[in-house]
Amino acid sequence: MENNYRGIEKTTFLKRFFIPAGTALLGWLVLHFISGHLGWIENRLIYKAAMNVVHLVLFFYLLFNGFFVYRAMFMKGAGLAERVAGSYLTPVTYAIKEIIRVSEFFTIGESFFYCLLTYPVLGLFVWQAGLLAVSEMLCRKYYKKRNLYEGKAVTAAPLVILILSIITIYFLFLYDDGGTAFYIYMEIYKMLFK
Amino acid sequence: MKNMTRRELLSMTGKLALGSAVAGIVPQSLLAKEQQPNIIFILTDDQRWDHLGCMGHPFLKTPGMDRLAREGVHFTNAFCTTSLCSPSRASFLTGQYAHNHGVKDNLSAWDDEKNRTFFDNLKEAGYRNAFIGKWHMPGKMPKIKSLDRFITFDASGGQGYYYNCPLIIDGVRTERPGKYITTDLTDYAIEFIKEKSPKPFCLYLSHKAVHSPWRPPKDLDGIYKNEDLSFLPKETFSFISLLSGKAIEGAPPFKTTERNYLRYCESLTAFDRELVRLLDELDRLGITQNTAVVLASDNGYSWGEHMDVGKREASEVNLRIPFLVRYPKGIVNPGRRSEGMALNIDLAPTLLDLAGAAPKKDSDGISLKPVLLNRKEKVRESFLYEYFKDYPYNVPEQFGVRTESHIYMTYWGRRKDAIFDVNKDPGYKNNLIDTPQGKSMLPEMKRLLAQHLGGAGHGK
């Protein structure tokens, strides 16, 4: 696919994958570290403000960093598989961190199954898929506008992924306030573990 | 002393013999009927022990609960034995720890065959019984034969809704459009106590309030919006729901801790207003003196303590519950506070004791009647705390024993066992188990835990 884009040079693996994805991961790790080390702030107002800001930034960082990682990798000539893998690096690391964390009190099987819970992991993964589809189409549009890409900006594959992502997000979070999704999740849990 | 004639002696002997015979043949319940009180047990949901006006809350107004405290005994060291809705509810009904009644979490079902409630004993003692409100225990709707009235709901997995919550009235599903649930349930409660009957009544009024998603009635919506919340714990912040493992059930983290807290207080005020209405009705009916009113909550709740909004993790604010008893005819020296440890499992034995009904032989709880009569200050030295895994909530299965000064906790999984000083460290943060003090306490704490569990623990 990248051959269709004039002006995009395929750079080294370090530049096209490791730097964008690694930087995003590092950013998350730093934010995560900071979020857990603000207890030293004595002033109540400053502490509260800092906790609010850091946790909001962390939340939106997790939600949106894949969009920018995908775009950066796209422009460095990374292939589709690399772009997807690089964009999911931070969410997957986050999922691994969650599995390790909950394994403190759940069995190994339950800890992995925890990732299928709507919030935080499954929802993040589904959201990310839709976001990458949007990022793909916007990148194409960007190059098309500059006459560097001759194909269509909007094609079936990313469009279907985006629509499926929106439907799933609606079902997971908005339909019945997430109650039905949670009910199904728990029914599967009971079948597997009870 | 006056000398008795032979005739008088014979007559008195005969009366004594007849009395003894009657006492042996006639059920105690009939003999005691004169003294049998009406009983009202009111259960709130997730109400903190310190969220009453009379506990010095900065802005919460609770004239109803304050009246109960003023006219009764306020158990200021009351606890649930499992800080979770369903197990605690079953403990109130059965007088048993969760490992005995079997409702261990929000997934394990209530067993009609196995579990007897205090309603059964009250029925045998001549009571007419009603359960009105939140049942919320897993499994099918229960069939409790000793209930004359059973009004509940199963919407939203048994949690119900604050508005328009359909009720199941004696088995018949009934829509309740436009009704606010706290008011609706109180209406049914008042209807029940107004029924004319020669029998005493027992009403179990179990509210949805003040469980999430806190919704006050329209006229109370926003009444506390300008209140200063700087008294909330230092570690509180607006987006606690963004912490790992805090937001479950797909709750989008858009509502701040402060907003939720104010809605909680407003919903509690709405509950108290209905309590006032119920107490006024007792006055109007002239039955206040002979009615025992007990108010408690199923568990406590954290509002920012140890960066939590919830109830599952063991800490003082989650274990402690409000517990008030008003019974003008049966309380000596009302208006006092009792510092002795009272538990949710004490409700059943206490009510049966007050009613003069046969005790529940399988009860783990202890009657608080001696405390009400001011004959004892406390009925126990320690109790068992247990929490069974409630997947996917991020809290380990745990068993502990709490004394008046410390709690010893053991956990399933990797978390280290712990001893906390409950008075100096109510958030359970400073583990003493490796300190000289902790080491010296450990053997006795282990012994107490084993004694309470009786082999029912997780074997750690």
Side-chain angles (χ1 to χ4, degrees):
Chain A
M1 187 189 284
E2 38 279 2
N3 292 339
N4 297 333
Y5 298 91
R6 292 188 297 277
I8 294 183
E9 183 191 336
K10 187 170 183 177
T11 56
T12 62
F13 185 74
L14 179 76
K15 284 183 179 171
R16 72 176 189 270
F17 184 92
F18 201 74
I19 289 178
T23 306
L25 178 62
L26 188 66
W28 174 71
L29 287 171
V30 169
L31 276 172
H32 180 67
F33 178 82
I34 293 171
S35 73
H37 291 82
L38 292 171
W40 57 272
I41 301 175
E42 285 298 324
N43 183 293
R44 187 192 164 91
L45 283 176
I46 297 173
Y47 167 82
K48 195 174 160 184
M51 286 295 277
N52 283 334
V53 169
V54 168
H55 282 88
L56 278 174
V57 170
L58 191 58
F59 176 69
F60 286 109
Y61 187 92
L62 257 182
L63 275 188
F64 288 103
N65 84 82
F67 177 85
F68 298 102
V69 170
Y70 191 92
R71 188 178 173 86
M73 292 179 75
F74 191 103
M75 292 180 168
K76 295 286 179 190
L80 179 65
E82 286 178 349
R83 295 198 297 268
V84 172
S87 304
Y88 268 98
L89 185 64
T90 302
V92 166
T93 309
Y94 172 75
I96 292 167
K97 190 263 308 178
E98 283 294 281
I99 290 168
I100 293 168
R101 188 181 63 77
V102 299
S103 70
E104 181 195 332
F105 31 80
F106 297 147
T107 63
I108 293 299
E110 287 173 333
S111 301
F112 276 92
F113 189 68
Y114 186 77
C115 288
L116 295 180
L117 185 60
T118 307
Y119 182 91
V121 181
L122 180 64
L124 177 63
F125 275 47
V126 171
W127 166 269
Q128 183 87 346
L131 210 61
L132 299 194
V134 172
S135 193
E136 170 73 29
M137 291 187 282
L138 287 176
C139 284
R140 288 179 189 172
K141 198 174 175 193
Y142 175 85
Y143 283 96
K144 198 172 168 62
K145 212 171 174 181
R146 287 157 183 76
N147 291 320
L148 298 171
Y149 174 62
E150 276 147 21
K152 287 181 177 174
V154 179
T155 54
L159 195 62
V160 167
I161 289 170
L162 177 62
I163 292 168
L164 286 177
S165 168
I166 291 169
I167 293 169
T168 313
I169 289 290
Y170 172 78
F171 177 70
L172 292 179
F173 291 99
L174 301 177
Y175 177 72
D176 185 27
D177 283 338
T180 304
F182 185 68
Y183 176 77
I184 293 169
Y185 175 80
M186 288 310 296
E187 287 303 303
I188 298 170
Y189 169 78
K190 281 190 263 183
M191 279 193 301
L192 292 175
F193 299 101
K194 278 279 180 179
Chain B
M1 190 179 161
K2 182 191 155 195
N3 287 335
M4 275 187 180
T5 64
R6 189 163 162 254
R7 184 184 294 267
E8 282 170 337
L9 188 66
L10 279 172
S11 167
M12 189 178 159
T13 310
K15 280 175 186 166
L16 279 171
L18 182 65
S20 306
V22 168
I25 296 163
V26 179
Q28 201 184 350
S29 58
L30 289 182
L31 287 176
K33 195 146 257 177
E34 284 277 310
Q35 290 81 41
Q36 281 182 305
N38 298 307
I39 293 167
I40 299 178
F41 174 57
I42 303 161
L43 185 63
T44 54
D45 197 316
D46 290 353
Q47 185 191 349
R48 285 169 63 116
W49 72 296
D50 55 356
H51 273 49
L52 292 85
C54 64
M55 289 294 281
H57 190 277
F59 58 79
L60 193 61
K61 303 283 186 294
T62 59
M65 288 186 276
D66 295 354
R67 182 182 172 192
L68 289 181
R70 207 168 49 245
E71 297 174 0
V73 174
H74 186 176
F75 290 85
T76 49
N77 274 312
F79 301 88
C80 59
T81 49
T82 300
S83 188
L84 185 61
C85 295
S86 301
S88 185
R89 283 162 192 279
S91 289
F92 275 114
L93 283 163
T94 62
Q96 293 176 311
Y97 283 117
H99 70 264
N100 281 331
H101 60 58
V103 183
K104 292 179 174 179
D105 52 33
N106 283 349
L107 297 175
S108 47
W110 167 268
D111 185 343
D112 270 335
E113 298 300 317
K114 178 189 160 199
N115 289 326
R116 276 175 64 88
T117 68
F118 63 77
F119 289 123
D120 300 340
N121 303 51
L122 288 176
K123 189 77 178 172
E124 286 163 13
Y127 274 75
R128 62 187 183 95
N129 299 322
F131 183 105
I132 296 175
K134 186 173 181 178
W135 173 259
H136 189 233
M137 271 181 265
K140 294 174 186 167
M141 276 291 137
K143 294 190 175 94
I144 299 175
K145 290 174 189 152
S146 49
L147 284 177
D148 300 283
R149 189 111 234 243
F150 185 32
I151 300 175
T152 188
F153 44 82
D154 61 358
S156 190
Q159 292 288 7
Y161 309 126
Y162 275 97
Y163 280 99
N164 312 317
C165 183
L167 298 179
I168 302 170
I169 301 174
D170 297 325
V172 180
R173 181 175 297 276
T174 312
E175 295 300 319
R176 308 295 294 159
K179 297 284 185 183
Y180 182 68
I181 193 162
T182 312
T183 306
D184 205 17
L185 296 176
T186 306
D187 285 342
Y188 278 107
I190 289 173
E191 183 186 291
F192 176 75
I193 64 174
K194 282 168 87 173
E195 281 173 23
K196 287 194 167 43
S197 168
K199 294 179 176 181
F201 65 76
C202 172
L203 164 67
Y204 191 116
L205 178 56
S206 175
H207 283 285
K208 172 181 174 55
V210 284
H211 193 281
S212 65
W214 315 281
R215 295 213 173 112
K218 288 182 179 66
D219 64 314
L220 297 178
D221 195 350
I223 55 167
Y224 296 134
K225 69 181 176 190
N226 296 321
E227 295 295 342
D228 175 16
L229 297 183
S230 59
F231 62 91
L232 288 176
K234 189 238 171 193
E235 60 266 40
T236 305
F237 64 104
S238 306
F239 299 103
I240 284 179
S241 56
L242 291 178
L243 290 170
S244 289
K246 296 297 182 201
I248 305 279
E249 296 183 48
F254 302 137
K255 290 170 187 162
T256 63
T257 308
E258 293 85 351
R259 181 183 185 275
N260 285 337
Y261 178 69
L262 291 175
R263 305 274 277 182
Y264 173 88
C265 290
E266 287 160 7
S267 303
L268 189 57
T269 299
F271 156 72
D272 193 80
R273 184 165 70 180
E274 295 306 317
L275 173 64
V276 168
R277 194 158 67 91
L278 183 66
L279 296 179
D280 287 350
E281 195 61 43
L282 293 177
D283 292 341
R284 258 191 295 277
L285 294 168
I287 56 174
T288 296
Q289 287 295 313
N290 195 38
T291 300
V293 179
V294 183
L295 182 140
S297 182
D298 54 355
N299 46 255
Y301 209 78
S302 294
W303 279 108
E305 286 87 355
H306 42 88
M307 277 201 266
D308 194 14
V309 173
K311 59 208 170 192
R312 289 173 164 80
E313 193 72 64
S315 70
E316 285 295 291
V317 284
N318 290 351
L319 266 63
R320 286 177 174 271
I321 55 173
F323 201 107
L324 302 153
V325 183
R326 185 190 77 170
Y327 177 25
K329 259 177 79 175
I331 285 179
V332 174
N333 193 14
R336 67 191 147 90
R337 289 183 172 183
S338 170
E339 300 292 326
M341 292 190 288
L343 305 178
N344 52 358
I345 56 174
D346 295 338
L347 177 80
T350 303
L351 295 186
L352 295 177
D353 202 2
L354 290 176
K360 256 181 121 270
K361 287 182 182 135
D362 56 4
S363 172
D364 298 315
I366 303 169
S367 170
L368 299 171
K369 189 177 174 184
V371 181
L372 300 177
L373 294 173
N374 218 4
R375 288 183 189 150
K376 270 186 179 179
E377 178 51 30
K378 59 184 177 183
V379 295
R380 63 171 52 77
E381 299 293 332
S382 65
F383 69 89
L384 171 69
Y385 178 73
E386 49 189 0
Y387 177 92
F388 294 86
K389 182 166 61 182
D390 189 34
Y391 190 89
Y393 294 91
N394 289 194
V395 179
E397 185 160 309
Q398 53 199 271
F399 294 87
V401 64
R402 191 194 184 283
T403 65
E404 287 176 340
S405 61
H406 290 83
I407 189 164
Y408 166 55
M409 299 296 301
T410 64
Y411 306 96
W412 188 94
R414 296 200 301 272
R415 196 182 291 187
K416 191 177 169 62
D417 291 352
I419 295 177
F420 301 107
D421 183 325
V422 296
N423 298 314
K424 290 181 188 159
D425 178 24
Y428 299 179
K429 287 175 187 166
N430 186 21
N431 187 357
L432 302 174
I433 203 156
D434 290 328
T435 64
Q437 185 194 4
K439 283 177 183 164
S440 70
M441 295 173 72
L442 190 57
E444 174 60 7
M445 288 299 217
K446 280 187 169 175
R447 188 193 69 75
L448 282 172
L449 181 59
Q451 180 187 312
H452 280 298
L453 277 169
H458 54 59
K460 189 174 176 181

